[in-house]
Amino acid sequence: MRFTPHVTVATVIESEGRFLLVEEMAGGRAVFNQPAGHLEADESLIEAALRETLEETGWDVELTAVTGIYLYTAVSNGVTYQRVCFSGRPLQQRPNHSLDEGILGPRWLSRAELAAQPERWRSELVLRCIDDYLGGERFPLSLIRMPA
């Protein structure tokens, strides 16, 4: 059997105690997730995080740190994901930006509002990434290396 993990990126974007989340359809229900998605060919992890955040929320952001690298096997499909989570700050919203299919829209929620709705999390990583960010986990973006 061949083991092929899926490389994904996510962003924790905080402003005034609220976090930029994506409300999206998954498995026939509306769930919350960080702006997140798969790494594409010929793309850096940082480029992927910026692209996914814009595609799913309409927000341009500035990445400031790596919050964590996570290995997660989804109960729903048995797929293993390696998630690189970045933190950053919002720059500007593009109000007329077309969002990815299945995205209901961006939502700004406090940690408490999100924690009160565990049945709406896309995965347990949603709150874990925020908690790691709030706990001060910040690694320099230089942690992400590209070939010279």
PDB file of all heavy atoms in Angstrom, residues 45-46 49 62-67 84-88 138-146:
ATOM      1  N   LEU A  45       5.045  27.145  -0.019  1.00  0.00           N
ATOM      2  CA  LEU A  45       4.042  27.075   1.050  1.00  0.00           C
ATOM      3  C   LEU A  45       3.478  28.455   1.362  1.00  0.00           C
ATOM      4  O   LEU A  45       2.277  28.614   1.606  1.00  0.00           O
ATOM      5  CB  LEU A  45       4.653  26.452   2.300  1.00  0.00           C
ATOM      6  CG  LEU A  45       4.992  24.962   2.184  1.00  0.00           C
ATOM      7  CD1 LEU A  45       5.898  24.532   3.331  1.00  0.00           C
ATOM      8  CD2 LEU A  45       3.732  24.121   2.141  1.00  0.00           C
ATOM      9  N   ILE A  46       4.333  29.463   1.357  1.00  0.00           N
ATOM     10  CA  ILE A  46       3.883  30.836   1.635  1.00  0.00           C
ATOM     11  C   ILE A  46       2.953  31.322   0.532  1.00  0.00           C
ATOM     12  O   ILE A  46       1.883  31.895   0.812  1.00  0.00           O
ATOM     13  CB  ILE A  46       5.090  31.766   1.834  1.00  0.00           C
ATOM     14  CG1 ILE A  46       5.796  31.399   3.160  1.00  0.00           C
ATOM     15  CG2 ILE A  46       4.679  33.237   1.797  1.00  0.00           C
ATOM     16  CD1 ILE A  46       7.112  32.092   3.401  1.00  0.00           C
ATOM     17  N   ALA A  49      -0.425  29.685   0.993  1.00  0.00           N
ATOM     18  CA  ALA A  49      -1.204  30.247   2.101  1.00  0.00           C
ATOM     19  C   ALA A  49      -1.839  31.582   1.707  1.00  0.00           C
ATOM     20  O   ALA A  49      -3.014  31.830   2.020  1.00  0.00           O
ATOM     21  CB  ALA A  49      -0.317  30.410   3.328  1.00  0.00           C
ATOM     22  N   GLU A  62      -0.975  39.621   5.307  1.00  0.00           N
ATOM     23  CA  GLU A  62       0.473  39.560   5.438  1.00  0.00           C
ATOM     24  C   GLU A  62       0.804  38.455   6.422  1.00  0.00           C
ATOM     25  O   GLU A  62       0.307  38.473   7.556  1.00  0.00           O
ATOM     26  CB  GLU A  62       1.031  40.883   5.966  1.00  0.00           C
ATOM     27  CG  GLU A  62       2.524  40.844   6.206  1.00  0.00           C
ATOM     28  CD  GLU A  62       3.053  42.094   6.884  1.00  0.00           C
ATOM     29  OE1 GLU A  62       2.244  42.908   7.400  1.00  0.00           O
ATOM     30  OE2 GLU A  62       4.279  42.250   6.906  1.00  0.00           O
ATOM     31  N   LEU A  63       1.602  37.487   5.980  1.00  0.00           N
ATOM     32  CA  LEU A  63       2.013  36.415   6.881  1.00  0.00           C
ATOM     33  C   LEU A  63       3.157  36.912   7.749  1.00  0.00           C
ATOM     34  O   LEU A  63       4.065  37.587   7.269  1.00  0.00           O
ATOM     35  CB  LEU A  63       2.439  35.186   6.082  1.00  0.00           C
ATOM     36  CG  LEU A  63       1.381  34.595   5.154  1.00  0.00           C
ATOM     37  CD1 LEU A  63       1.924  33.382   4.433  1.00  0.00           C
ATOM     38  CD2 LEU A  63       0.110  34.257   5.914  1.00  0.00           C
ATOM     39  N   THR A  64       3.101  36.574   9.034  1.00  0.00           N
ATOM     40  CA  THR A  64       4.112  37.057   9.972  1.00  0.00           C
ATOM     41  C   THR A  64       4.901  35.943  10.638  1.00  0.00           C
ATOM     42  O   THR A  64       6.001  36.185  11.133  1.00  0.00           O
ATOM     43  CB  THR A  64       3.457  37.933  11.061  1.00  0.00           C
ATOM     44  OG1 THR A  64       2.430  37.169  11.711  1.00  0.00           O
ATOM     45  CG2 THR A  64       2.856  39.203  10.447  1.00  0.00           C
ATOM     46  N   ALA A  65       4.357  34.724  10.668  1.00  0.00           N
ATOM     47  CA  ALA A  65       5.039  33.630  11.369  1.00  0.00           C
ATOM     48  C   ALA A  65       4.436  32.290  10.959  1.00  0.00           C
ATOM     49  O   ALA A  65       3.357  32.222  10.370  1.00  0.00           O
ATOM     50  CB  ALA A  65       4.911  33.807  12.886  1.00  0.00           C
ATOM     51  N   VAL A  66       5.157  31.241  11.322  1.00  0.00           N
ATOM     52  CA  VAL A  66       4.631  29.880  11.239  1.00  0.00           C
ATOM     53  C   VAL A  66       4.129  29.535  12.636  1.00  0.00           C
ATOM     54  O   VAL A  66       4.853  29.686  13.621  1.00  0.00           O
ATOM     55  CB  VAL A  66       5.719  28.872  10.804  1.00  0.00           C
ATOM     56  CG1 VAL A  66       5.180  27.454  10.819  1.00  0.00           C
ATOM     57  CG2 VAL A  66       6.275  29.237   9.432  1.00  0.00           C
ATOM     58  N   THR A  67       2.887  29.132  12.726  1.00  0.00           N
ATOM     59  CA  THR A  67       2.295  28.784  14.020  1.00  0.00           C
ATOM     60  C   THR A  67       2.565  27.328  14.375  1.00  0.00           C
ATOM     61  O   THR A  67       2.770  26.996  15.533  1.00  0.00           O
ATOM     62  CB  THR A  67       0.778  29.051  13.995  1.00  0.00           C
ATOM     63  OG1 THR A  67       0.579  30.426  13.676  1.00  0.00           O
ATOM     64  CG2 THR A  67       0.136  28.747  15.328  1.00  0.00           C
ATOM     65  N   VAL A  84       0.649  23.002   7.297  1.00  0.00           N
ATOM     66  CA  VAL A  84       1.548  24.055   7.752  1.00  0.00           C
ATOM     67  C   VAL A  84       0.672  25.274   7.991  1.00  0.00           C
ATOM     68  O   VAL A  84       0.044  25.783   7.065  1.00  0.00           O
ATOM     69  CB  VAL A  84       2.651  24.357   6.713  1.00  0.00           C
ATOM     70  CG1 VAL A  84       3.558  25.475   7.208  1.00  0.00           C
ATOM     71  CG2 VAL A  84       3.451  23.099   6.399  1.00  0.00           C
ATOM     72  N   CYS A  85       0.617  25.696   9.242  1.00  0.00           N
ATOM     73  CA  CYS A  85      -0.254  26.807   9.612  1.00  0.00           C
ATOM     74  C   CYS A  85       0.577  28.062   9.845  1.00  0.00           C
ATOM     75  O   CYS A  85       1.552  28.048  10.602  1.00  0.00           O
ATOM     76  CB  CYS A  85      -1.053  26.449  10.861  1.00  0.00           C
ATOM     77  SG  CYS A  85      -2.296  27.695  11.256  1.00  0.00           S
ATOM     78  N   PHE A  86       0.160  29.124   9.210  1.00  0.00           N
ATOM     79  CA  PHE A  86       0.803  30.424   9.326  1.00  0.00           C
ATOM     80  C   PHE A  86      -0.087  31.365  10.126  1.00  0.00           C
ATOM     81  O   PHE A  86      -1.306  31.201  10.150  1.00  0.00           O
ATOM     82  CB  PHE A  86       1.015  31.041   7.939  1.00  0.00           C
ATOM     83  CG  PHE A  86       1.951  30.268   7.060  1.00  0.00           C
ATOM     84  CD1 PHE A  86       1.482  29.253   6.244  1.00  0.00           C
ATOM     85  CD2 PHE A  86       3.303  30.566   7.043  1.00  0.00           C
ATOM     86  CE1 PHE A  86       2.347  28.539   5.426  1.00  0.00           C
ATOM     87  CE2 PHE A  86       4.176  29.862   6.223  1.00  0.00           C
ATOM     88  CZ  PHE A  86       3.700  28.843   5.417  1.00  0.00           C
ATOM     89  N   SER A  87       0.521  32.362  10.735  1.00  0.00           N
ATOM     90  CA  SER A  87      -0.269  33.438  11.329  1.00  0.00           C
ATOM     91  C   SER A  87       0.057  34.727  10.576  1.00  0.00           C
ATOM     92  O   SER A  87       1.095  34.839   9.916  1.00  0.00           O
ATOM     93  CB  SER A  87       0.021  33.589  12.823  1.00  0.00           C
ATOM     94  OG  SER A  87       1.390  33.828  13.055  1.00  0.00           O
ATOM     95  N   GLY A  88      -0.861  35.664  10.674  1.00  0.00           N
ATOM     96  CA  GLY A  88      -0.665  36.909   9.952  1.00  0.00           C
ATOM     97  C   GLY A  88      -1.700  37.933  10.339  1.00  0.00           C
ATOM     98  O   GLY A  88      -2.459  37.757  11.297  1.00  0.00           O
ATOM     99  N   ARG A 138       5.095  30.994  17.663  1.00  0.00           N
ATOM    100  CA  ARG A 138       5.468  31.798  16.493  1.00  0.00           C
ATOM    101  C   ARG A 138       6.883  31.398  16.089  1.00  0.00           C
ATOM    102  O   ARG A 138       7.822  31.565  16.849  1.00  0.00           O
ATOM    103  CB  ARG A 138       5.494  33.290  16.797  1.00  0.00           C
ATOM    104  CG  ARG A 138       4.259  33.879  17.426  1.00  0.00           C
ATOM    105  CD  ARG A 138       3.149  34.122  16.435  1.00  0.00           C
ATOM    106  NE  ARG A 138       2.134  35.003  16.980  1.00  0.00           N
ATOM    107  CZ  ARG A 138       1.361  34.711  18.005  1.00  0.00           C
ATOM    108  NH1 ARG A 138       1.489  33.591  18.639  1.00  0.00           N
ATOM    109  NH2 ARG A 138       0.443  35.563  18.417  1.00  0.00           N
ATOM    110  N   PHE A 139       7.006  30.872  14.901  1.00  0.00           N
ATOM    111  CA  PHE A 139       8.303  30.525  14.358  1.00  0.00           C
ATOM    112  C   PHE A 139       8.544  31.424  13.156  1.00  0.00           C
ATOM    113  O   PHE A 139       7.603  31.744  12.426  1.00  0.00           O
ATOM    114  CB  PHE A 139       8.332  29.033  13.971  1.00  0.00           C
ATOM    115  CG  PHE A 139       8.024  28.131  15.133  1.00  0.00           C
ATOM    116  CD1 PHE A 139       6.726  27.708  15.373  1.00  0.00           C
ATOM    117  CD2 PHE A 139       9.024  27.736  15.998  1.00  0.00           C
ATOM    118  CE1 PHE A 139       6.426  26.885  16.451  1.00  0.00           C
ATOM    119  CE2 PHE A 139       8.746  26.911  17.092  1.00  0.00           C
ATOM    120  CZ  PHE A 139       7.448  26.501  17.319  1.00  0.00           C
ATOM    121  N   PRO A 140       9.772  31.827  12.921  1.00  0.00           N
ATOM    122  CA  PRO A 140      10.038  32.761  11.817  1.00  0.00           C
ATOM    123  C   PRO A 140       9.672  32.147  10.471  1.00  0.00           C
ATOM    124  O   PRO A 140       9.793  30.931  10.271  1.00  0.00           O
ATOM    125  CB  PRO A 140      11.536  33.043  11.920  1.00  0.00           C
ATOM    126  CG  PRO A 140      12.096  31.927  12.725  1.00  0.00           C
ATOM    127  CD  PRO A 140      11.002  31.439  13.607  1.00  0.00           C
ATOM    128  N   LEU A 141       9.248  33.006   9.545  1.00  0.00           N
ATOM    129  CA  LEU A 141       8.925  32.535   8.211  1.00  0.00           C
ATOM    130  C   LEU A 141      10.142  31.906   7.531  1.00  0.00           C
ATOM    131  O   LEU A 141       9.999  31.064   6.647  1.00  0.00           O
ATOM    132  CB  LEU A 141       8.386  33.683   7.352  1.00  0.00           C
ATOM    133  CG  LEU A 141       7.004  34.218   7.755  1.00  0.00           C
ATOM    134  CD1 LEU A 141       6.652  35.430   6.907  1.00  0.00           C
ATOM    135  CD2 LEU A 141       5.945  33.142   7.636  1.00  0.00           C
ATOM    136  N   SER A 142      11.336  32.272   7.980  1.00  0.00           N
ATOM    137  CA  SER A 142      12.560  31.682   7.421  1.00  0.00           C
ATOM    138  C   SER A 142      12.665  30.188   7.708  1.00  0.00           C
ATOM    139  O   SER A 142      13.497  29.502   7.125  1.00  0.00           O
ATOM    140  CB  SER A 142      13.796  32.417   7.930  1.00  0.00           C
ATOM    141  OG  SER A 142      13.894  32.290   9.341  1.00  0.00           O
ATOM    142  N   LEU A 143      11.802  29.671   8.598  1.00  0.00           N
ATOM    143  CA  LEU A 143      11.737  28.229   8.827  1.00  0.00           C
ATOM    144  C   LEU A 143      11.400  27.491   7.531  1.00  0.00           C
ATOM    145  O   LEU A 143      11.833  26.367   7.311  1.00  0.00           O
ATOM    146  CB  LEU A 143      10.681  27.941   9.899  1.00  0.00           C
ATOM    147  CG  LEU A 143      10.405  26.485  10.263  1.00  0.00           C
ATOM    148  CD1 LEU A 143      11.598  25.914  11.015  1.00  0.00           C
ATOM    149  CD2 LEU A 143       9.156  26.377  11.106  1.00  0.00           C
ATOM    150  N   ILE A 144      10.625  28.148   6.669  1.00  0.00           N
ATOM    151  CA  ILE A 144      10.222  27.577   5.393  1.00  0.00           C
ATOM    152  C   ILE A 144      11.326  27.849   4.385  1.00  0.00           C
ATOM    153  O   ILE A 144      11.571  28.989   4.012  1.00  0.00           O
ATOM    154  CB  ILE A 144       8.884  28.183   4.903  1.00  0.00           C
ATOM    155  CG1 ILE A 144       7.807  28.074   5.974  1.00  0.00           C
ATOM    156  CG2 ILE A 144       8.460  27.556   3.584  1.00  0.00           C
ATOM    157  CD1 ILE A 144       7.455  26.658   6.377  1.00  0.00           C
ATOM    158  N   ARG A 145      12.009  26.803   3.974  1.00  0.00           N
ATOM    159  CA  ARG A 145      13.158  26.941   3.077  1.00  0.00           C
ATOM    160  C   ARG A 145      12.792  26.543   1.651  1.00  0.00           C
ATOM    161  O   ARG A 145      12.079  25.584   1.440  1.00  0.00           O
ATOM    162  CB  ARG A 145      14.321  26.055   3.551  1.00  0.00           C
ATOM    163  CG  ARG A 145      14.780  26.309   4.952  1.00  0.00           C
ATOM    164  CD  ARG A 145      15.427  27.675   5.054  1.00  0.00           C
ATOM    165  NE  ARG A 145      15.772  27.992   6.424  1.00  0.00           N
ATOM    166  CZ  ARG A 145      16.991  28.246   6.832  1.00  0.00           C
ATOM    167  NH1 ARG A 145      17.986  28.254   5.996  1.00  0.00           N
ATOM    168  NH2 ARG A 145      17.206  28.545   8.094  1.00  0.00           N
ATOM    169  N   MET A 146      13.337  27.300   0.735  1.00  0.00           N
ATOM    170  CA  MET A 146      13.205  26.989  -0.681  1.00  0.00           C
ATOM    171  C   MET A 146      14.606  26.737  -1.229  1.00  0.00           C
ATOM    172  O   MET A 146      15.572  27.352  -0.758  1.00  0.00           O
ATOM    173  CB  MET A 146      12.569  28.167  -1.430  1.00  0.00           C
ATOM    174  CG  MET A 146      11.131  28.465  -1.026  1.00  0.00           C
ATOM    175  SD  MET A 146       9.976  27.181  -1.513  1.00  0.00           S
ATOM    176  CE  MET A 146      10.057  27.308  -3.284  1.00  0.00           C
TER     177      MET A 146
END
